[in-house]
Amino acid sequence: MITKDSIETAYSFLHQKRNVYIHSNLDWQKDDIEYAIGTYVDDMSKELYEVISDGRAGFLRDHKRFGEDITLAVERLEEML
């Protein structure tokens, strides 16, 4: 079961990191955000991750797709609130 608290927590964290990521011009900062998000999703509710990722392997973990993934994750979480 996905709790409202887990959705709100994930949304808050990912939303804040996405906002920094999309406005950053620093590669090291973007890399740090990717690492932080990867670590976060390792520990988040597996059910919630499945929903926001649509079951796609590597969601929020693929460097080449990270910008798209983080935006999609925030949009999906916002819809769930």
Side-chain angles (χ1 to χ4, degrees), residues 26-72:
L26 305 171
D27 289 338
W28 66 265
Q29 186 175 42
K30 288 184 171 189
D31 289 342
D32 285 355
I33 290 169
E34 288 182 40
Y35 178 78
I37 297 296
T39 301
Y40 180 80
V41 299
D42 286 343
D43 294 330
M44 78 185 297
S45 158
K46 300 304 176 202
E47 277 183 286
L48 181 56
Y49 180 76
E50 284 295 315
V51 169
I52 65 171
S53 70
D54 250 356
R56 186 168 54 86
F59 186 75
L60 292 171
R61 293 183 174 103
D62 181 347
H63 177 73
K64 293 178 183 176
R65 291 189 48 111
F66 186 81
E68 296 169 46
D69 287 353
I70 190 76
T71 298
L72 183 59

Side-chain angles (χ1 to χ4, degrees), residues 2-15:
I2 301 171
T3 66
K4 184 170 176 74
D5 286 344
S6 67
I7 296 168
E8 289 173 346
T9 301
Y11 175 79
S12 295
F13 184 70
L14 295 178
H15 183 267

